[in-house]
Amino acid sequence: MSQTFADVLQIVALVGALALVHRPLGDYMARVYTSDKHLRIERWIHRCVGTDPSAAMRWPVYLRAVLAFSAAGVLFLYAMQRLQDKLPMSLGFAPIDPDQAFNTAASFVSNTNWQSYAGESAMGHLTQMAGLAVQNFVSAAVGMAVAVALVRGFARSRTGELGNFWTDLVRGVVRILLPLAAVAAVLLVAAGAVQNFSGMHEVHTLSGSVQHLPGGPVASQEAIKELGTNGGGFYNANCSHPFENPNGFSNLLEIFLILLIPLSLPRTFGRMVGSLRQGYAIVAAMGVIWLAGVVAVTVSEYAHPGTAAQLAGGAMEGKEQRFGEGGSSLFAVTTTMTSTGAVNSFHDSFTAFGGGVTLLGMVLGEIAPGGVGSGLYGMLVMAVIAVFVCGLMVGRTPEYLGKKIGPREIKLAACYILITPALVLGGTGLAMALPDGKEAMTNIGAHGFTEVLYAYASGSNNNGSAFAGFGADTPFFNTTIGLCMLLGRFLPMVFVLALAGSLARQAPVPVTAGTLRTEKPLFTGVLVGVIAIVTGLTFFPALALGPLAEGMSS
Amino acid sequence: MSIQTTTPTPVRRAEPAHAPEQEPPSGGPSRGGGAFGPRQLAASLPDAVRKLDPRSMVKSPVMFVVEVGSVLTTVLAVLHPADWFGWVIAAWLWLTVLFANLAEAVAEGRGKAQADTLRRARTDSVARRLGADGAEEPVPGAELRVGDRVVCEAGDVIPGDGDVVEGVASVDESAITGESAPVIRESGGDRSAVTGGTKVLSDRIVVRITTRPGETFIDRMIGLVEGAARQKTPNEIALNILLAALTIVFLLAVVTLQPFAVYAGAEQSLTVLAALLVCLIPTTIGALLSAIGIAGMDRLVQRNVLATSGRAVEAAGDVSTLLLDKTGTITLGNRQAAGFVPVHGATAAEVAEAAQLGSLADETPEGRSVVALAEDEHGLRSRPADELEGAVWVPFTARSRMSGVDLDGGAGRKVRKGAASSVLAWVEERGGRSRAEDGAGDGAGDEVRRVTEEISEAGGTPLVVAVEDEAGPRVLGVIHLKDVVKPGMRERFEELRRMGIRTVMITGDNPLTARAIAEEAGVDDFLAEATPEDKMALIRREQAGGRLVAMTGDGTNDAPALAQADVGVAMNTGTSAAKEAGNMVDLDSDPTKLIEIVEIGKQLLITRGALTTFSIANDVAKYFAIIPAMFAVAYPGLDALNIMRLSSPESAILSAVVFNALIIVALVPLALRGVRYRPMSAEGMLRRNLGLYGLGGLVAPFAGIKVIDLLITLIPGVG
């Protein structure tokens, strides 16, 4: 079997499996978020926390709950790191420095999992389990809750009520993430990932030296890290570590887990707005961009022009032999386009164009298919923009799913699309202009620039993967990237929820022959075009000075 | 409903009302209201320069940014006077702003001429105010108050808007309608409204003033056509927000580019950065946006429709239900004879002969159609009524409900035609056999009743014809009067359906007749025996379902429905209550125009969308021109992005800037005329416009920039 054929087959198998599973999962999630009944355990949680699970919330209330919950999460994580030495199971680690503690707290609460520390040598067990691992679940559930609130904005009419955040949060964790993570962990163990509570294994290698191999509850951590598009690895080497990702099958399984919820949510959306085809149009736009990225990166990695790469049959630097160019490229595109940030290869070592595509995947705003929840709401906001432009071209006030896109709606959508460029370009510009930023760079030329751009793109879009190549643990980067992560996560939520509230208040406009059909392939094409031109073009000058300059010079 | 059937004199309209927007994009005269040509550009130049005032520029955020860029590059050019490139870029940026202002000025200029005509009508007249004691006192027109009563006699100009409360007069309204034939205005009823500035031609009327001076119809018209009262519509505001957001995004991209460029060792001059920014922000749509809005209103004005707000024009594009009155809109104003049905052994020719005879003096359209049909179908010559000597004509009255003739001074034949019950009663009264109960089996009455019912079911109106002669009084047959659906209406409704618009016919007819006409005309629904309350309920029902409703009306009892409808077009012949309630007034009082209004509304939105798409798509080519020009020195590999093979960095940037400026001028005619509009489904329309303006916007600048670059290289010392 030729390598190309194997790579194609791998993608086909992945797409087939997702096509099969997204229907029941999407429908199930729709039921979860529309059901009136609370499970006993959920009622118990609400009673313990003191939240009212049945109060209907208007958008400002919903937003306040999201922000309060997340702010509490940041403070809690920050305090935990700062007081690490006084907590049990600290393994004797010192408290984390303020700037890094802030960065890490922001990182996990914002579903980014950018790590400017090395987990094994800085964080105690309690901080890892009660702090970081909990956020892996709840930050994902927050994203889903906000997405569902926006979907309700489209589905409901003449009401300001978007549901109850506490209910959505608890259900997301209890009914969706926990069961899926449990199943996924078992599958990962079956595939060969490690799951134990043992300490260091002392291993004598062939050359006679001694290695200490830490074990741990890897598979369970791995499951939620992919499912929740978090990305923070158990080991520093992340998914390239054989205990996390032992073989080609586990690699494919992890990619599947990353894409599972983001690609099923459009189905949930279609179900909740009463037209599955609307969901298909959204998922098709996501799929087209994702597939184009996969093809571009894979081709670029195989076609690397360097001599060494040509002899090896492709650019293998920084890639695991067991995944090859295909498995690595597939993983790289998936992780950057889903705001996951887990890596099974070093993106820094990718070819200039290949790395450029992963960068582009992030600056598109993490919408193809994007993080859990955040991908859907990001794509829906882009759909609002696309509807506005092409809705005008059919001669009516633009409307999407029966809701008019008027000044207020477009204002909120416009504010949303401003955030990513402002944070990424502003952050990078600041880093390039100030001595603080340039001092941390270890690479020169276009590649050095790409690394900085990648760091801010990753943080602002809550991806969390790094191009490495510079010391990210400086007060300057910790603080600015930490701010980018928080603003990049929660500012969009403000506008999304406001948009949801404004849509929910409207009375629906009936569909006629004069209505723009947003469930047709033509609209999917327009949506992809608008994303490419409106978002992609903004970053063209920056990309030209980074990956394009590097790639075209070689 | 009163319909003005005379042909309007196209004083201010260059084209007939039904002409769709199907003009060649270039060459040939543009549509009325003023041609777009060099002369008009020159005439608008002073206005365009005046609009450079930052206080007025700031209303368009995109163009304001361009103006700031122009100032910046000019200052830089002054600081480095030897750099020809800086001067040229500064000049072209100024031209970009100027072209945008020119587009707006030209659009406004088209309304100016009309406004001047209207102003002449608004001369300060002296009103003859009636005091409480009935005495007249002369008052300047500007001092009139609402409720004042003024006297107007032949030759007087009516000093303000009001209702006739006493008398009847013929009024020359050509100042506002362009229609020279005088119209009758009388107290009471639906023709009581008079407009200030119009002239009484005969008789004397007393007018109660209903509008304060300065807010009269003419004042509002002047404001509208001049664009002074123009407020941004919701959709325009939304589009402006999107454009502002895109401007900010590109501003960020350009501002942050400098540190990146410095790092790359390719620091850029502010002139180049300003040029890049101006090329990237959506200047094309930003420059033409307000011209599109003004031109849209202007297109309505050219069709003699006045919209009180741009919002209403936009709403017209969104309408999904049209309420159309049957009479005058769907059918011709009058019924026409369509056939003669004999009963009880008579022949059709006999019926036709009697019917024609009885109708010779009948000057109503129905009567004339009977005479004409008898001539056409049975070769019966029509003759003037006075040819028959000694004939006594019996006119139609509301009480007798029939008309006819008694020949030879009442001694000869007698003919009657009219409502079935009246004519049957007449026959019976004269001892004729009309009933079944006389034992003769199927009596004429029963047969007549059967035939009239059949005609009613088919949507027609039966007129029974009876004679009395030597054979005695008897019913001969029935004239089938039919509502005639205007030609082309069926196709029109078909088009509307394709556009997703439902048509509902409103009629006072009974449901049976209404259904037949509805089917013949091809409307989607009908409201029979409609009262104003029914109309109102129908509108509310449609709106509750989220639909936007458009309707026309003229009577005072239409006013609530007109106010409730999203687009209410009042007929100019109507009452001032109706005109106040609606958000548009049709000066031609042509109810069919509603369909055109909808099309204009759609065209307005499509033009905005098309130019926005075009503007955004243009950026791709500009990037490919400017980015390699900026950075190919630092990274020679980037020269591969110069796919247009532009000759030099300066020429590449300059070409992009020049293209960006010239495309505005090139698109001004399109913005003023509106993009071509054909009724079709949303899907088809999107496909067409995306292909034209999306792909076109992607490809055109590649070609345009290349051509400009080639021209620039021809200039000695450059390139």
Side-chain angles (χ1 to χ4, degrees), chain B residues 662-680:
Chain B
L662 290 184
I663 195 72
I664 296 174
V665 182
L667 290 175
V668 167
L670 183 72
L672 296 186
R673 199 182 61 231
V675 303
R676 192 176 293 216
Y677 174 74
R678 271 205 311 255
M680 57 167 100

Side-chain angles (χ1 to χ4, degrees), chain B residues 500-525:
Chain B
I501 297 172
R502 236 162 57 87
T503 41
V504 182
M505 182 182 84
I506 309 286
T507 173
D509 292 340
N510 63 60
L512 222 56
T513 313
R515 179 184 305 281
I517 298 169
E519 270 167 19
E520 192 184 340
V523 293
D524 297 280
D525 204 354

Side-chain angles (χ1 to χ4, degrees), chain A residues 37 67 77 142 172 182 216 265-266 273 320 325 370 391 405 437 513-514 520 549:
Chain A
K37 291 201 177 66
L67 294 182
L77 271 188
V142 167
L265 277 172
V273 299
E320 287 292 311
E325 289 92 344
I405 309 301
K520 296 278 175 78

Side-chain angles (χ1 to χ4, degrees), chain B residues 404-423:
Chain B
V405 64
D406 294 346
L407 292 183
D408 303 328
R413 265 174 95 194
K414 295 187 177 64
V415 179
R416 292 289 181 275
K417 67 176 171 54
S421 54
S422 312
V423 176

Side-chain angles (χ1 to χ4, degrees), chain B residues 532-557:
Chain B
E533 292 75 34
D534 293 341
K535 247 188 195 178
M536 191 74 178
L538 177 68
I539 295 174
R540 287 233 171 88
R541 207 160 53 237
E542 292 286 324
Q543 286 173 335
R547 293 185 184 82
L548 262 58
V549 182
M551 66 168 284
T552 58
D554 60 355
T556 300
N557 54 16

Side-chain angles (χ1 to χ4, degrees), chain B residues 508-654:
Chain B
D509 292 340
N510 63 60
L512 222 56
T513 313
R515 179 184 305 281
I517 298 169
E519 270 167 19
E520 192 184 340
V523 293
D524 297 280
D525 204 354
F526 63 90
L527 185 64
E529 290 171 349
T531 62
E533 292 75 34
D534 293 341
K535 247 188 195 178
M536 191 74 178
L538 177 68
I539 295 174
R540 287 233 171 88
R541 207 160 53 237
E542 292 286 324
Q543 286 173 335
R547 293 185 184 82
L548 262 58
V549 182
M551 66 168 284
T552 58
D554 60 355
T556 300
N557 54 16
D558 282 333
L562 278 173
Q564 178 72 28
D566 301 280
V567 177
V569 183
M571 301 292 105
N572 191 49
T573 50
T575 60
S576 45
K579 285 201 248 180
E580 278 297 316
N583 44 21
M584 291 190 198
V585 177
D586 178 15
L587 301 177
D588 294 340
S589 303
D590 168 13
T592 323
K593 221 180 263 174
L594 197 50
I595 300 172
E596 285 171 64
I597 294 171
V598 168
E599 291 185 353
I600 290 173
K602 284 194 178 293
Q603 196 187 26
L604 175 69
L605 294 172
I606 295 174
T607 308
R608 273 190 206 136
L611 290 182
T612 307
T613 311
F614 185 86
S615 192
I616 296 173
N618 266 328
D619 277 3
V620 178
K622 293 176 192 159
Y623 267 125
F624 278 99
I626 299 184
I627 293 295
M630 288 168 88
F631 299 118
V633 176
Y635 296 114
L638 286 181
D639 196 46
L641 290 179
N642 182 8
I643 52 175
M644 285 174 272
R645 310 312 317 159
L646 303 177
S647 52
S648 72
E650 286 83 7
S651 141
I653 294 169
L654 189 55

Side-chain angles (χ1 to χ4, degrees), chain A residues 329-418:
Chain A
S329 302
L330 187 57
F331 200 107
V333 172
T334 303
T335 192
T336 47
M337 286 197 178
T338 52
S339 89
T340 305
V343 290
N344 75 346
S345 53
F346 275 89
H347 294 183
D348 199 23
S349 301
F350 273 50
T351 59
F353 292 132
V357 173
T358 61
L359 187 50
L360 181 65
M362 293 190 294
V363 294
L364 285 184
E366 297 291 15
I367 50 178
V372 283
S374 60
L376 180 63
Y377 64 67
M379 188 54 106
L380 289 177
V381 170
M382 286 316 294
V384 165
I385 303 269
V387 159
F388 184 76
V389 174
C390 53
L392 281 178
M393 276 196 289
V394 304
R396 281 169 70 117
T397 298
E399 63 211 37
Y400 185 38
L401 298 164
K403 298 302 175 74
K404 282 206 153 90
I405 309 301
R408 185 174 160 76
E409 289 75 24
I410 209 71
K411 192 195 303 170
L412 296 167
C415 285
Y416 181 98
I417 60 166
L418 275 177

Side-chain angles (χ1 to χ4, degrees), chain B residues 193-357:
Chain B
V194 288
T195 310
T198 56
K199 200 170 173 188
V200 177
L201 291 180
S202 69
D203 305 295
R204 172 184 186 275
I205 47 174
V206 176
V207 174
R208 190 169 46 83
I209 299 294
T210 54
T211 320
R212 266 177 298 193
E215 296 172 12
T216 61
F217 190 65
I218 282 204
D219 289 312
R220 279 191 294 158
M221 269 181 77
I222 293 172
L224 281 169
V225 295
E226 276 192 330
R230 211 175 84 82
Q231 283 177 325
K232 286 207 172 102
T233 58
N235 176 263
E236 204 175 343
I237 293 170
L239 187 52
N240 244 323
I241 293 171
L242 183 68
L243 296 181
L246 289 177
T247 306
I248 297 172
V249 165
F250 286 118
L251 191 63
L252 275 169
V254 171
V255 167
T256 56
L257 190 56
Q258 186 69 324
F260 304 170
V262 171
Y263 169 80
E267 184 171 353
Q268 298 296 318
S269 70
L270 281 178
T271 307
V272 170
L273 289 176
L276 174 65
L277 177 62
V278 168
C279 285
L280 293 185
I281 60 178
T283 45
T284 314
I285 178 67
L288 298 174
L289 187 55
S290 69
I292 295 170
I294 297 168
M297 295 284 272
D298 193 50
R299 274 200 293 281
L300 273 185
V301 173
Q302 283 167 41
R303 283 173 173 74
N304 266 358
V305 177
L306 290 181
T308 50
S309 73
R311 191 182 280 258
V313 186
E314 229 164 59
D318 287 350
V319 159
S320 44
T321 307
L322 279 189
L323 304 192
L324 296 173
D325 278 307
K326 184 198 79 178
T327 311
T329 312
I330 295 172
T331 62
L332 294 171
N334 305 293
R335 294 155 208 260
Q336 306 269 314
F340 301 106
V341 186
V343 294
H344 203 64
T347 65
E350 282 179 279
V351 183
E353 194 269 337
Q356 191 191 43
L357 189 64

